Amino acid sequence: MKKRSVLMILLALLMVLVLVACGNGNDNGDDNGVENGVENGAEDPADDDEAAEEELPVMTMAEVAENDGLDGARAYVVVEGIVYDVTDSPRWVDGNHNGNQAGQDLTDEILGDSPHGRSVLDRFEPIGRIEE
Ligand code: HEM
């Protein structure tokens, strides 16, 4: 009888140890899951771009029109709903660039008429967005 009791107690202790070990294992698994979730979320560059654009202040076309680069005004251009400040570009003196005046939406012109396309805008920080 005594031997059996000791054996039972040892068995019970073993089971407790196994349960505790499994519990820790699960915790680690959960932590990894959360970390991976965060990493995956930050890894998608398209999501980042969209999120960054949404955080830009909303501007009106009237505000953009006031910034046509003439009479000392700053030079803003709108391409695909995003406002860029091109004032500091030596190619936009007085807000004019190859016949294109700042202060307006130049999406059609940059995509249709320019030799460079929209890639040149990567050199400029977007400063706002036009709400659709
Ligand atoms: C329609 C005729 C156009 C011509 C012939 C033209 C031509 C050029 C050329 C030769 C450059 C220099 C190339 C370079 O820096 O990589 C340039 C730069 C640039 N263009 Fe145009 N472009 C035109 C229209 C436009 C339009 C409609 C926009 C509208 C936003 C635009 C925005 C820019 C910008 C932001 C730069 C870069 C300026 C800088 O880095 O300082 N262009 N363009």
Side-chain angles (χ1 to χ4, degrees):
M1 270 304 267
K2 270 187 184 173
K3 267 187 186 174
R4 261 192 197 171
S5 302
V6 172
L7 215 80
M8 289 295 277
I9 288 166
L10 278 175
L11 256 172
L13 275 172
L14 201 79
M15 278 176 75
V16 168
L17 274 174
V18 168
L19 280 175
V20 168
C22 285
N24 284 343
N26 280 345
D27 282 354
N28 288 340
D30 283 354
D31 285 352
N32 287 340
V34 169
E35 279 166 21
N36 286 341
V38 169
E39 280 167 20
N40 286 342
E43 266 171 21
D44 193 338
D47 282 357
D48 283 357
D49 280 359
E50 276 168 31
E53 281 181 8
E54 272 172 30
E55 278 169 26
L56 290 170
V58 174
M59 295 174 80
T60 62
M61 282 311 292
E63 265 177 88
V64 173
E66 280 169 18
N67 293 280
D68 58 4
L70 294 167
D71 302 321
R74 297 199 69 79
Y76 294 176
V77 295
V78 177
V79 174
E80 291 173 329
I82 304 298
V83 185
Y84 300 86
D85 183 344
V86 295
T87 313
D88 297 332
S89 167
R91 291 188 179 269
W92 284 86
V93 176
D94 291 332
N96 198 285
H97 171 72
N98 297 304
N100 298 285
Q101 192 65 42
Q104 26 175 352
D105 188 324
L106 294 172
T107 306
D108 292 345
E109 288 79 357
I110 200 169
L111 298 180
D113 307 338
S114 79
H116 44 65
R118 59 156 304 146
S119 63
V120 287
L121 294 169
D122 293 344
R123 304 169 196 165
F124 299 84
E125 277 299 310
I127 59 161
R129 67 188 164 100
I130 305 296
E131 209 163 43
E132 288 160 38

